[in-house]
Amino acid sequence: MQDRVLAVAMNGVTGRMGYRQHLTRSVLAIRKAGGVVLPDGSRVVPEPVLVGRSADKLRRIAEQHGVERWSTDLDTVLSDPGIEVYFDAQITSAREEALRSAIAAGKHIYTEKPTAASLGGALELAKFARDAGVRNGVVQDKLFLPGLLKLRRLLDSGFFGRVLSIRGEFGYWVFEGGWQEPQRPSWNYRAEDGGGIVLDMFPHWHYILEQLFAPVRAVTATTATHIARRWAEDGSPYAATAEDAAYGVFELEGGILAQINSSWCVRVDRDELVEFQVDGTEGSAVAGLRDCRIQHRVATPRAVWDPDAPADQGGYRDQWESVPDNADFDNGFRTQWEQFISHVCADTRFPFDLLSGARGLQLAEAGLQSAASGRRVELEEVELP
Ligand SMILES: NC(=O)C1=CN([C@@H]2O[C@H](COP(=O)(O)OP(=O)(O)OC[C@H]3O[C@@H](n4cnc5c(N)ncnc54)[C@H](OP(=O)(O)O)[C@@H]3O)[C@@H](O)[C@H]2O)C=CC1
Ligand SMILES: O=C1CO[C@H](CO)[C@@H](O)[C@@H]1O
């Protein structure tokens, strides 16, 4: 059993996600822990090679974390046969071209979502990767959140009986800038730079619905640009050309209805920044990022509409139980990195591929089409030619 090093080119590590979730909390944390253990007991230690457009930022990160290799020249990095994996967490609009170059160079691909700016682009990438015979994966981190892992446990146990509906509420107030610094990059609010909440969040809703419940067959969505003027990182005002809220109804195979609100213009009166309520014939659950609460049919209070009477004793929300952790939950990004590394090195199962990423783009595109036309849009089966 020979341990080995896996060199991974990481592009976008100067950004929020690339730096915090992927470099420090995943790849460097895995290195520190001694690598990923493969089914045969051997270990793979990922070695990051930082890539980006700012030498100063890359040098600083490399020095701070003791990373030996960094470069602003993607082509040179891709021409190095010793580097086996290319990872991308760049701004969305820069992704497609970089992934294409990496596949052409024979690298295995791991990427943030959305995998491309359009369904056509995403499908081409999936086909290109398949034809090139490289392994490929897309970040689907929400599936590895403790709250959603508990939800999956409930589904696997048959707790819900028949699932009827899902209500998702995602969002928080993102400061416009000009008086308090915005907590998201300004490109998110410019359509021409790959921004917009539909492209950002519908890929997440897609894999959650598909992997936990059933394939999505139709969508009806309304979008809004509630805040039309925002302030950029340098303090200058700009026109927000992308939608900052989307209100979607998703019809799933088998008749489950999911309704998910996504908004960067909502103040939080929830326990967590995203929550999904699942109602089934036998029980209901509310799952967030970390916690999950349940109410079984035998513990369901008899709610009776009477505006003249005070609300139920103790409040309806007190009548739910918490699902215990019963496990140690690692950072979800790290868990998925470990699975991808094992997939590359030992061919273990990894269903989160570029084709599933393309289905996420299909939902985003259909959502935008529905919003633009005011109509319900059906989703055809997506296949690679
Ligand atoms: N899975 C998840 O939960 C999340 C995923 N994402 C996805 O991750 C990706 C990155 O998002 P995020 O980290 O928030 O974005 P940031 O703006 O923080 O980072 C963008 C990165 O892209 C680089 N970049 C390359 N070209 C450009 C360009 N033309 N303009 C601006 N930046 C450029 C930046 O380099 P430089 O430092 O030189 O500017 C930086 O490294 C997006 O595709 C987004 O959809 C985002 C949030 C959460
Ligand atoms: O993809 C994403 C998932 O959730 C995050 C929380 O707002 C977002 O930052 C994001 O862009």
Side-chain angles (χ1 to χ4, degrees), residues 133-260:
V134 298
R135 300 200 193 281
N136 54 90
V138 56
V139 175
Q140 298 189 345
D141 53 290
K142 308 289 178 265
L143 292 172
F144 300 88
L145 287 167
L148 293 205
L149 289 170
K150 290 173 193 171
L151 183 57
R152 186 187 284 277
R153 206 191 280 158
L154 293 173
L155 286 158
D156 290 348
S157 77
F159 167 81
F160 293 104
R162 183 165 62 84
V163 173
L164 307 172
S165 65
I166 300 149
R167 283 144 208 259
E169 195 67 50
F170 163 84
Y172 48 94
W173 189 267
V174 175
F175 288 110
E176 313 86 308
W179 69 291
Q180 288 206 53
E181 212 180 306
Q183 66 272 45
R184 293 182 64 81
S186 59
W187 64 264
N188 282 282
Y189 303 92
R190 292 189 294 265
E192 61 277 22
D193 287 338
I197 204 163
V198 171
L199 195 54
D200 193 43
M201 297 312 297
F202 277 32
H204 288 298
W205 306 152
H206 179 267
Y207 66 71
I208 289 173
L209 294 173
E210 178 184 79
Q211 301 262 351
L212 291 178
F213 300 99
V216 184
R217 293 301 178 214
V219 58
T220 309
T222 299
T223 60
T225 305
H226 290 301
I227 308 278
R229 186 172 149 94
R230 292 179 178 267
W231 279 258
E233 288 75 6
D234 64 2
S236 60
Y238 65 95
T241 48
E243 76 290 341
D244 51 21
Y247 308 89
V249 176
F250 307 91
E251 296 169 44
L252 275 51
E253 194 168 290
I256 300 172
L257 283 176
Q259 181 196 324
I260 307 180

Side-chain angles (χ1 to χ4, degrees), residues 261-342:
N261 294 327
S262 317
S263 177
W264 288 318
C265 311
V266 64
R267 297 187 176 86
V268 181
D269 181 21
R270 270 170 264 131
D271 291 330
E272 306 202 55
L273 295 191
V274 67
E275 282 184 348
F276 298 96
Q277 171 157 345
V278 180
D279 287 298
T281 50
E282 302 290 310
S284 297
V286 177
L289 300 171
R290 303 201 61 83
D291 294 330
C292 184
R293 294 177 298 117
I294 50 172
Q295 189 168 84
H296 191 257
R297 71 193 283 252
V298 297
T300 304
R302 175 181 299 276
V304 178
W305 180 260
D306 181 359
D308 298 324
D312 201 33
Q313 350 68 317
Y316 293 108
R317 296 181 79 223
D318 291 346
Q319 298 169 3
W320 293 64
E321 269 180 85
S322 276
V323 176
D325 285 357
N326 287 355
D328 291 328
F329 299 109
D330 251 329
N331 176 294
F333 290 89
R334 173 177 171 172
T335 304
Q336 211 190 348
W337 263 100
E338 288 169 343
Q339 292 189 8
F340 182 70
I341 290 170
S342 177

Side-chain angles (χ1 to χ4, degrees), residues 106-119:
K107 309 300 174 196
H108 303 297
I109 300 297
Y110 189 43
T111 180
E112 259 297 351
K113 45 52 66 176
T115 55
S118 67
L119 172 60

